[in-house]
Amino acid sequence: MGDHCASDASSNVESVRVRPFSALPSAILAEDDDEPPSSGPSQRPAQVTPSLSGVALKQTPTDGVTVVSTKLATLSEKSPFTRPPVESDAPATVAVVAPHRKPAAIWARLRMLFTPTKPLGPEPTYAGSAKATLRYTPLNFCLIFIPVSWVMHYTHQDPTLVFVFSCLGIVPLAALLGFGTEQIAHRTSSTVGGLLNATLGNVVEMIIAGIALSECKLELVQSSLLGGLLSNMLLVLGMAFIVGGFRFQQQDFQPMVAQLNSSLMTVSVISLIVPAAFHEYLDDRLDAGEELPLLLQLSRGSAVLLILIYIAYLIFQFYSHSYLFMDVEVSSVATLGTRSLSRTSTTTAATSSENLQPMTLLAVPGDVETASSESAVQHLKLNSWFSFGLLVAVTALAYVTAECLVKSLEGLVAQHPGVSTEWITLIVIPIISNAAEHTTAVIVASKGKFDLAMSVAIGSCIQIALFVIPALVLVAWGMDKSLTLLFDPLETLVLFFSVLLVKFSVEDGRAHWMSGVLLVGVYMLITLSFWNFPDSTRTFQGQPLVCT
């Protein structure tokens, strides 16, 4: 009798196992009444349950085998996942985009990148644009130092004064560069605007590095660019978090984008650590004169790979995953003192209507800042042609002024031996040249555009690390100059820990003012550390590097 029951149970199990998926009873394929709704659609494909009223499966306990049974009519009423029967017998079809429509879809996606996020107001006149430029910042009064620095440089005056006046002249130029870029960025999406701000914000740094490279000041090239990375990651981003924290209790941005940016910065640090480790380990293991050619070969090959990675990142950002970089900004905020009471965010993500809950906002009258109807329109301060002309003029002035600054650096150090050249090139020059990114990131963070602030600060670092530095290595190759990716070991170590700190601060997609305090505090520590940094000559196997 026991054998007969066991054989019946095993035959029942085998009969269920050998049936094809389509032949299984609908009661078995239907959703279990006790299963949570969240696990239904993700665990199995969508199933069309035909109406089988009156059909029931009995629960019959056997030897270790339990056949699940329930009344199908009751199950159909309770389960939210059952669907009505399909009356049509037509075969299922899959929508396929016609090949001739693919270029149109690509063009539409690219056109979205250059579509303004808000409706634009009327174009200002040339007179109005000129007035807005002159009134943009009080720092414009420093523009008078530009001709002063030129005259003092070409008449061979005190190099210290030439350096000081050149720095004072570059500050308003960097600010105007950011102003013109911002006005052009208003006519595009925030993704393209962030790239424009990062690119044109690096113009001053690229000019200084190019002039230094032409004069064979390779240490100045490396220190100024690495100092730009530290300034953007720690000082600019930290100040954006602090200023944004005064208005918003928590600053949200895309966590996936933040993690991707951290990964890209980690790749750039690895590209600098490998040559440093190669130099320290193989310095005394190679024959005389073999290390520099190997380092140049490694640096130039790495430069090509880094540029390809940056191009892939641009494709990822603007084409394949452009939805990750859509605009996210705070639309309204209520503040009481320095504490944020409530805020709402506008994103491009779709939200179901049943999940929307009304928000009640309580605050003291007069302390609540609400978005006015005028915020829906972007009022421009410069017209298009004036913006482009301003960028060209500012870039030309910055080039001549930066040339005076670079040439006065040697005389400054000779007159003041207590001042470290490394401190000037790593701290002072990047702060001056990053004035545009600093101003833009802080302003947009104060308005609640935290994704744009991240794009300006971290995007500038990514562009320097993955494009500007590798491009300069290749340009130096064409100029027959020995520029490598071998940076000072201490500078490389500081950059590595800075990238780790930024990664831990932004990887969850949230930040607050305390995160900014930490970033700025670490930058101050680096500033103090390099104040007495001794000047040294780069050597390879005991021989100094000669640049002609």
Side-chain angles (χ1 to χ4, degrees), residues 162-183:
V162 175
F163 181 84
V164 172
F165 288 145
S166 299
C167 292
L168 293 176
I170 287 178
V171 171
L173 291 178
L176 291 177
L177 195 64
F179 179 51
T181 307
E182 179 186 4
Q183 293 302 306

Side-chain angles (χ1 to χ4, degrees), residues 97-111:
V97 179
H100 66 277
R101 293 185 179 180
K102 288 184 178 180
I106 295 175
W107 174 251
R109 180 176 296 185
L110 294 177
R111 188 171 55 186

Side-chain angles (χ1 to χ4, degrees), residues 226-241 261-262 265-266 268-269 434 454 456-462 464-465 494-503 505-506 515-516 518-520 523 526:
L226 192 139
L229 294 177
L230 296 176
S231 175
N232 281 313
M233 279 193 304
L234 301 178
L235 183 61
V236 176
L237 188 61
M239 289 301 299
F241 285 162
N261 292 340
S262 301
M265 288 305 302
T266 304
S268 66
V269 173
N434 283 338
M454 286 283 296
V456 171
I458 303 300
S460 178
C461 294
I462 293 174
I464 293 175
V494 167
L495 179 63
F496 171 71
F497 285 114
S498 300
V499 170
L500 286 183
L501 178 61
V502 172
K503 175 180 172 58
S505 300
V506 304
S515 302
L518 294 178
L519 296 177
V520 176
Y523 189 77
I526 296 173

Side-chain angles (χ1 to χ4, degrees), residues 285-299:
R285 291 174 172 81
L286 296 174
D287 295 334
E290 290 186 359
E291 183 184 4
L292 181 58
L294 292 179
L295 277 175
L296 288 173
Q297 181 182 2
L298 173 62
S299 300

Side-chain angles (χ1 to χ4, degrees), residues 186-243:
H186 285 328
R187 297 169 170 84
T188 64
S189 64
S190 99
T191 306
V192 177
L195 179 64
L196 287 175
N197 278 286
T199 303
L200 297 178
N202 291 329
V203 165
V204 178
E205 292 175 339
M206 290 188 285
I207 289 174
I208 294 176
I211 295 173
L213 179 61
S214 64
E215 298 184 359
C216 277
K217 298 179 180 179
L218 303 182
E219 290 81 6
L220 174 58
V221 175
Q222 294 178 333
S223 298
S224 62
L225 293 176
L226 192 139
L229 294 177
L230 296 176
S231 175
N232 281 313
M233 279 193 304
L234 301 178
L235 183 61
V236 176
L237 188 61
M239 289 301 299
F241 285 162
I242 292 175
V243 173

Side-chain angles (χ1 to χ4, degrees), residues 103-122:
I106 295 175
W107 174 251
R109 180 176 296 185
L110 294 177
R111 188 171 55 186
M112 285 181 57
L113 297 175
F114 297 92
T115 302
T117 56
K118 295 181 180 180
L120 299 179

Side-chain angles (χ1 to χ4, degrees), residues 126-202:
Y126 286 97
S129 301
K131 291 180 181 179
T133 302
L134 294 176
R135 297 175 181 177
Y136 171 64
T137 173
L139 294 175
N140 282 343
F141 80 92
C142 292
L143 292 173
I144 62 176
F145 295 116
I146 295 177
V148 173
S149 64
W150 295 358
V151 172
M152 296 189 67
H153 169 69
Y154 289 109
T155 57
H156 307 287
Q157 301 298 321
D158 187 4
T160 302
L161 294 178
V162 175
F163 181 84
V164 172
F165 288 145
S166 299
C167 292
L168 293 176
I170 287 178
V171 171
L173 291 178
L176 291 177
L177 195 64
F179 179 51
T181 307
E182 179 186 4
Q183 293 302 306
I184 294 177
H186 285 328
R187 297 169 170 84
T188 64
S189 64
S190 99
T191 306
V192 177
L195 179 64
L196 287 175
N197 278 286
T199 303
L200 297 178
N202 291 329

